[in-house]
Amino acid sequence: MIDPQSVPRFAGVATFMRRPHVYDLGETEADAAFLGVPFDDATSYRPGARFGPRSIREASTLLKPYNPETDTDLNEFTIVDHDDVPVVPGYIKDTFEAIEERIGTVLDHGVVPVLAGGDHSTTLPVLRAIAEKYGPVSLVQFDAHSDLWTEYFGRDHNHGTTIHYAIEEGLIDPETSIRIGERGGLYGPDDVERFEAAGIESYTATEATTLGLDAMGDRIGEIVDGPVFATIDIDSVDPAYAPGTGTPMPGGFTSREILTLTRQLHAVDLIGFDLVEVAPPYDDQSGSTAILAANVMFEALCAALESSTTNTNHDG
Amino acid sequence: MIDPQSVPRFAGVATFMRRPHVYDLGETEADAAFLGVPFDDATSYRPGARFGPRSIREASTLLKPYNPETDTDLNEFTIVDHDDVPVVPGYIKDTFEAIEERIGTVLDHGVVPVLAGGDHSTTLPVLRAIAEKYGPVSLVQFDAHSDLWTEYFGRDHNHGTTIHYAIEEGLIDPETSIRIGERGGLYGPDDVERFEAAGIESYTATEATTLGLDAMGDRIGEIVDGPVFATIDIDSVDPAYAPGTGTPMPGGFTSREILTLTRQLHAVDLIGFDLVEVAPPYDDQSGSTAILAANVMFEALCAALESSTTNTNHDG
Amino acid sequence: MIDPQSVPRFAGVATFMRRPHVYDLGETEADAAFLGVPFDDATSYRPGARFGPRSIREASTLLKPYNPETDTDLNEFTIVDHDDVPVVPGYIKDTFEAIEERIGTVLDHGVVPVLAGGDHSTTLPVLRAIAEKYGPVSLVQFDAHSDLWTEYFGRDHNHGTTIHYAIEEGLIDPETSIRIGERGGLYGPDDVERFEAAGIESYTATEATTLGLDAMGDRIGEIVDGPVFATIDIDSVDPAYAPGTGTPMPGGFTSREILTLTRQLHAVDLIGFDLVEVAPPYDDQSGSTAILAANVMFEALCAALESSTTNTNHDG
Amino acid sequence: MIDPQSVPRFAGVATFMRRPHVYDLGETEADAAFLGVPFDDATSYRPGARFGPRSIREASTLLKPYNPETDTDLNEFTIVDHDDVPVVPGYIKDTFEAIEERIGTVLDHGVVPVLAGGDHSTTLPVLRAIAEKYGPVSLVQFDAHSDLWTEYFGRDHNHGTTIHYAIEEGLIDPETSIRIGERGGLYGPDDVERFEAAGIESYTATEATTLGLDAMGDRIGEIVDGPVFATIDIDSVDPAYAPGTGTPMPGGFTSREILTLTRQLHAVDLIGFDLVEVAPPYDDQSGSTAILAANVMFEALCAALESSTTNTNHDG
Amino acid sequence: MIDPQSVPRFAGVATFMRRPHVYDLGETEADAAFLGVPFDDATSYRPGARFGPRSIREASTLLKPYNPETDTDLNEFTIVDHDDVPVVPGYIKDTFEAIEERIGTVLDHGVVPVLAGGDHSTTLPVLRAIAEKYGPVSLVQFDAHSDLWTEYFGRDHNHGTTIHYAIEEGLIDPETSIRIGERGGLYGPDDVERFEAAGIESYTATEATTLGLDAMGDRIGEIVDGPVFATIDIDSVDPAYAPGTGTPMPGGFTSREILTLTRQLHAVDLIGFDLVEVAPPYDDQSGSTAILAANVMFEALCAALESSTTNTNHDG
Amino acid sequence: MIDPQSVPRFAGVATFMRRPHVYDLGETEADAAFLGVPFDDATSYRPGARFGPRSIREASTLLKPYNPETDTDLNEFTIVDHDDVPVVPGYIKDTFEAIEERIGTVLDHGVVPVLAGGDHSTTLPVLRAIAEKYGPVSLVQFDAHSDLWTEYFGRDHNHGTTIHYAIEEGLIDPETSIRIGERGGLYGPDDVERFEAAGIESYTATEATTLGLDAMGDRIGEIVDGPVFATIDIDSVDPAYAPGTGTPMPGGFTSREILTLTRQLHAVDLIGFDLVEVAPPYDDQSGSTAILAANVMFEALCAALESSTTNTNHDG
């Protein structure tokens, strides 16, 4: 591994956290693998998330390996950069197949998937692969939107329908899942009913912060059961902190709030996660969205690796 | 109306909330009319607010019509885009006349004016038209600045003197008006005295949030009396959330705070409002300021339309 | 029509050249109709061209109606803004159908289609509608790339395969077509052979400027035969002049060169044109790409309308 | 004067070319005085030129003092930064008075005025002061627009009417004046006639470059007679080179062309000049427009100082 | 001093708060002197802070002189802009000598140093000059990082080692110093021990806000003893509020928090301060980082001048 | 090697032209190795070139392997990404040693060095390594500046003194070297004499284009003798085409001109090259500078590899 005090962080090929670039997971005993899912053709407003993995890689070169908040030292784990899924621009279902297959391979190697989208449609094939291994899992969703619509423009798959189909296909268990961060307008009062009927407990951004983030963490722990997959839509964060996204919605979390919320996942059996909807063409000059995304992924990665060291029975 | 699930939100001519573009209010039974006031020649620092209406229109295409926080469904109302006031660049008084005349026409049709500036000088002719119909109204002002100065550069009308002249001309009743969000340096201790003498109750951003935004809403309700006009200067919000403005001042509201504050206007008899000082040339790459402004206007519009359904006596 | 000397150009809803917004072409006797094609899911690198129509509309508000170079006065023609094609994000073939149908309607009304993409894949369904009416047409293509590849990522339709399929489907006559502006690397020497075999005469950007743009115009006139459709990829222009595009390639035309080249189309029977690949998220702060695109469209529109006045037999 | 090899160019208060900041010209024997005219309320489209002087000052810190093309060593002259005219935002006529008075003072001291706008309306009061001293002068205008309109929005003074009123008021002699760089659309064929009737010889950008810039320089020398004032609108340059301007028009000069054209002014009796319409909010991240403007001013300053050393009779 | 109501704030040469530009402090009886330290060659990630002083000067032109929160009227003090230290780009130790010498001169004149970096390495020579006059001082450090590392890339001096050497050289008294705002990853668990061993009391951003900023102010007052120097790294603030910095770290203070924290320094004997790591090339289009930095400096300046009026014994 | 038609160009870790990332050249039989030199502490104005290698890598993913202008197929060569030199930020001489050592290793392996700066100071240690192997070489320099100054700020090594020391140390033979693209102001007339005395034939940008680029190529061929190293400063190009650089100078080459000039190097025995001064923080939103730099490197790489196949005696 590169020694950041002998090689500056701005130097060299930008892999995730400057970790080794590994095409074949069989070559190494990795604990976790960063994998990009550069697909954004199922977005309903602004595209650009296909460049999310590249921008997060670049921002991640600034990350340091030790987490003093949780006493997690990533130097004790083998983390690799597993490149990107070979998506098929313009072809949603072909891309879904490519994603499902590649995540399946990662899981077959017993490696924690650390995924960077891409738009939120890409979470559906990820969950297909997850469910193939684990059965229906608990989902923790940080998101400004429910993604529980049934169709867009007369077609089924889109970044706003992901969770609907994840439930319909039995990939997640709504009763042990939770959504945090929702806010903003809807298409009509029917939406409210449909979302409630879906069975996922939901906390708006205001409700979550009013309750308190520690209490929110406790509630997550109470609701989930068994293996947990976390899907973090960067638009759960306020556009002031994460302007580079496809459907920005004011009123979201601050950076400190999303980092604290993510850190709460240490208490659950986190088997993997994705962070989606970072759209670099809309990011600011400083790359603030990518930098925040990299830091959130760092917290989630710490949580997942701590889980994997204590809950090793998944692959047993 | 355009169906957002059959026509994508990035498609088509950008009118406010994708509503019909109507030059003549006599052609329709509108409940509310969006109207741009693209004038910025009375700004003391950075111009650019003339492009505010255009940028808010574009950002508003992302808005959905139902407000789950207040159970308001804008699909039940007729909202139109009434184009812009034909301002006269470089000529303040001519522009003021054009504004006053056009707002007068809107009010004559019994339509709620939904105004997008432009710099804050434009609120003076708006209030002239409002007072012509309603007499002196209660003003709710969200603003980083008092706008109570008497002159700038030896001339009277400017975006920093609006409220002074509104009081002097008897357009608003200072005793039933309130200002929220003030902060930052002044020209000298005399300013403090002058502002207090003006008679408008004022809460700084820190005072408002320390008090609590619900309590702040209650206080608004106690102070105002009769018809209320709200003037929302986007610089009441912190530059992190609204960088695209002419005289940015750190220490302002977050997006969630301004949205919550605006939502409090549901409790008053809101007869119209303007949102001013969005200066797109200084906005970020994502258009965060315009997006926030569109969302704040959505909350104010919901409040105004709910008011207008319960308080229909104004036009009676 | 709006009088630009009484209403400032930055005011009002941004339609193309501030012309009337017309959903139903049957309501008016239009000579030409601007129509957006906001689809970018078939792009191989950077998306964003879905916002091309909106940005060109905004930039076009600065255009004046009289062309002193060609003595064309657009005030003598009825030009309307016909909104956008209702594309289906993420679904190429569904979108192609929507485009073909809408262009068909425009042509049925005898109106010159003035199209703003969208990525270059959208030209294929446009040509399908054109050929449906006119039979195989002559194509004038300004482009950095041939778009003659047969597939991308194992799939047929993509912004790099448009011209290949246009020939294969018999929509254009390669022998009376011409491509100007090509440059840059290829995948291998086979590409050169394939492009030559396609039968379209090609001039690189260097060849065209070495030959001289007037001579280039003469050559266009010699090659084409009968109705001509022009497809202008903004990446024919150098990235210094048009940075906001999906696959930028240095070494292209200057703004003066592309304007002069486009003006040469006055000599041919131009029945319509599209300008594609303007990707606003990558444009500069001044919107230079959109401004140039609007000016190029102005030249092409003048050429098409002059053609249509002298060659009215198409609809006869 | 600051030694650029002992103090880095990015250090220190940014005065023009790092020259002394002098409020009172009586304190020094200056040869030339840089003076900002930060007014942009008479612009018809994009404001922002009020920040032109500040951005040109910053960019000018990178200029070196010796011009190898003309063998001019600015170290042999006393050049000062004379701050800005105290304009009155929003009040055109008051501002015109302030400008005329301040330029008058500069001329009274026998100092060459080196002016940075501001929008092009500001040239009218400058010419009033010039004519007060010199009588009608020859004008060399580099500009994309004629600025020969008679009114805008029903009012006389605006950045598009400057030259019309300069002729009408007898400030310049049209017969010995020249305009170079015009291009783009007009309001109608009447414009062509009116511009010709004004009597200023005009070369479009294409005509000038086709003729050749050396020949263009010769032609300037033949036309002008006596004292020459040069007014350089940065929009004479193409937006690729100067995106930061209020009414950008493609097809303009390259940087090398405008530098060469400006250098031709060495051959005439240049008594002063202004460079207008640099609008920093629309400039690129690198400040390219300001950098080019600073370099053009450097060339014009060399020309003016060489003129002033050989033609000292003006103040005699 | 410039009267902001007769000369607009965007006009004129941009000195700090539009105060006089003074090279020789002997010429005036200044109370405080703004001084730029434009050096960034000791940064470990993103350079650009060399342009910090210039951008803060520009942003400071918007500051008004009276602080209503503390009833401080800067018009009662003589504040000058003392230009920049003549740093030596690329040569750390030579630069350190130039800084130490220049600060020494400022202190010799009994003037409060108001310093704008530059990267955080520049604080070391500042503290050398401070300690030369005052002996070891109490340090109040607002910072995302401890800057307590001992070396970077095998070399001692760097922006991450400043405080380590300040302690080692006896320039500050760690027992009466305090650090507020730390957060983010570290190189390993050893870092935690080393930082604790250094002896400076530290509050993370979360700890400080949980404790409450008033209580935090009280704690500062309890810890410090005697003369206090404050070093404010702008990265103590969250990147949403201050994106223009070299090593951004999410989870930091809001603008209101940093302004409130800085205002707490009124209670201590503040003898000077620096604000470092503003890197304009990474700032947003609005210059938000520079604007916030200018406002924070305004608060610190008020605190320092109030201290200096009540604690005049330092120079006695 | 990655197949661009099966894996999209925006996918995956960004290595140069998507070539393998190789730390140890002994592991492969490489023909050419891309190597970053991320050092910018010797720049005299704007830093940021340390991020040049990273941005060029990203832009290079859009390059295709076959050059139709020269019939060069890079698929026939083994090209690797050899990561970056471990520079030492803030320490010029230490960095020079690291560079010289690493280039030496590349040359020892008989691999063509393909270098991306970094500022122009980095070329001196590169030439030291080159001269160690080849003796004094012919230098072809494309540059806006001579880089022939002897010192800056009283210190020797800096990006403006590189060529002076290269001559003084006998690393290049000035009589067989050539400089193309110089322009802009100088410190005084002495500079002209000093530059001429250095003995390198120089063509300004205007002289080169007036002569014609083919003739310029012929002249390069006549002047150089034996092994040639090319050093390409991106500021030889005009800021409109390459805004992202440290000391931009208007009047430079267009993209087509620099590509054509670089292509002329096919005729000489090119043993390696560097492209320096790409400063991404100042690049435009589209990354135009990096994209142009990548294309220029592509042309130079084709030239160098063609040279190396015909002139294999260097390592013999």
Side-chain angles (χ1 to χ4, degrees), chain B residues 46 153 186 209 238 243 251 281, chain E residues 5 66 241 255-256 285-286 295:
Chain B
R46 293 171 169 176
F153 320 120
L186 301 174
T209 49
D238 195 89
Chain E
Q5 287 190 327
Y66 176 72
Y241 295 82
S255 61
R256 209 186 298 153
Q285 170 76 3
S286 180
N295 277 276

Side-chain angles (χ1 to χ4, degrees), chain E residues 12-24:
Chain E
V13 168
T15 57
F16 182 70
M17 290 191 77
R18 312 171 93 198
R19 260 42 183 192
H21 183 186
V22 173
Y23 280 105
D24 180 356

Side-chain angles (χ1 to χ4, degrees), chain A residues 39-46 91-93 96 118-125 128 141 143 145-166 169 187 233 247 276-277, chain B residues 4-10 64, chain C residues 41 50 87-91:
Chain A
F39 185 77
D40 60 11
D41 289 325
T43 194
S44 61
Y45 198 61
R46 293 172 169 174
Y91 293 83
I92 293 178
K93 295 193 183 184
F96 279 12
D119 69 47
H120 218 161
S121 76
T122 60
T123 300
L124 186 64
R128 285 175 182 163
Q141 178 187 4
D143 203 336
H145 310 91
S146 71
D147 297 352
L148 281 166
W149 284 281
T150 55
E151 64 171 48
Y152 258 78
F153 321 120
R155 303 306 178 291
D156 48 6
H157 292 306
N158 168 284
H159 74 153
T161 64
T162 299
I163 308 304
H164 170 82
Y165 288 100
E169 296 182 15
Y187 295 110
D233 188 322
T247 50
V276 298
E277 299 283 358
Chain B
Q5 288 189 325
S6 73
V7 178
R9 302 183 157 281
F10 50 79
K64 299 191 185 81
Chain C
D41 289 326
R50 67 177 65 184
V87 302
V88 190
Y91 293 82

Side-chain angles (χ1 to χ4, degrees), chain F residues 37 85 87 94-104 122 125-126:
Chain F
V37 190
V85 174
V87 302
D94 296 330
T95 295
F96 279 12
E97 287 168 18
I99 296 170
E100 184 177 351
E101 183 187 332
R102 182 72 165 272
I103 306 297
T122 61
V126 169

Side-chain angles (χ1 to χ4, degrees), chain D residues 11-289:
Chain D
V13 169
T15 56
F16 181 70
M17 290 191 76
R18 313 171 95 198
R19 261 38 183 196
H21 184 187
V22 173
Y23 280 104
D24 180 356
L25 290 179
E27 287 177 3
T28 178
E29 286 289 318
D31 296 297
F34 176 91
L35 178 61
V37 190
F39 185 77
D40 60 11
D41 289 326
T43 194
S44 61
Y45 198 62
R46 293 173 168 174
R50 66 179 65 185
F51 287 102
R54 196 178 270 181
S55 74
I56 291 172
R57 278 187 177 96
E58 181 165 340
S60 77
T61 61
L62 193 55
L63 292 172
K64 298 190 186 83
Y66 177 71
N67 188 338
E69 296 283 346
T70 62
D71 191 25
T72 308
D73 189 353
L74 293 187
N75 286 328
E76 295 175 0
F77 298 93
T78 302
I79 302 160
V80 299
D81 188 319
H82 190 37
D83 213 68
D84 283 4
V85 174
V87 302
V88 189
Y91 293 83
I92 292 179
K93 293 191 185 186
D94 295 330
T95 296
F96 278 12
E97 287 168 19
I99 296 171
E100 185 178 351
E101 182 186 333
R102 182 71 165 274
I103 305 297
T105 306
V106 172
L107 295 172
D108 287 348
H109 282 90
V111 174
V112 173
V114 175
L115 309 173
D119 69 46
H120 218 159
S121 75
T122 61
T123 301
L124 186 65
V126 170
L127 290 172
R128 285 174 182 162
I130 294 281
E132 176 74 21
K133 173 167 183 180
Y134 292 100
V137 293
S138 293
L139 187 75
V140 176
Q141 177 186 4
F142 299 151
D143 204 335
H145 310 91
S146 71
D147 296 352
L148 280 166
W149 285 281
T150 55
E151 64 171 49
Y152 258 77
F153 321 120
R155 303 306 178 292
D156 48 5
H157 292 305
N158 167 283
H159 74 154
T161 65
T162 299
I163 308 304
H164 170 81
Y165 289 100
I167 296 173
E168 187 173 288
E169 298 181 15
L171 311 177
I172 64 171
D173 172 15
E175 300 303 320
T176 65
S177 294
I178 188 168
R179 177 173 73 253
I180 303 172
E182 201 180 344
R183 61 191 185 277
L186 301 174
Y187 294 110
D190 288 356
D191 281 352
V192 178
E193 289 168 33
R194 188 182 320 118
F195 297 173
E196 282 176 3
I200 297 179
E201 192 164 302
S202 171
Y203 293 81
T204 66
T206 299
E207 287 168 348
T209 50
T210 302
L211 181 64
L213 298 180
D214 287 345
M216 196 71 252
D218 293 344
R219 187 64 195 138
I220 293 172
E222 290 161 17
I223 287 179
V224 302
D225 184 25
V228 173
F229 185 81
T231 189
I232 305 171
D233 189 321
I234 199 68
D235 70 17
S236 58
V237 180
D238 194 88
Y241 294 83
T245 194
T247 50
M249 182 64 219
F253 293 118
T254 68
S255 61
R256 210 187 295 154
E257 288 166 356
I258 193 70
L259 290 167
T260 302
L261 266 175
T262 306
R263 204 174 292 137
Q264 309 287 355
L265 299 176
H266 277 259
V268 305
D269 179 15
L270 189 67
I271 54 152
F273 65 91
D274 61 7
L275 187 149
V276 299
E277 299 283 1
V278 172
Y282 292 97
D283 207 353
D284 65 10
Q285 169 76 2
S286 180
S288 297
T289 312

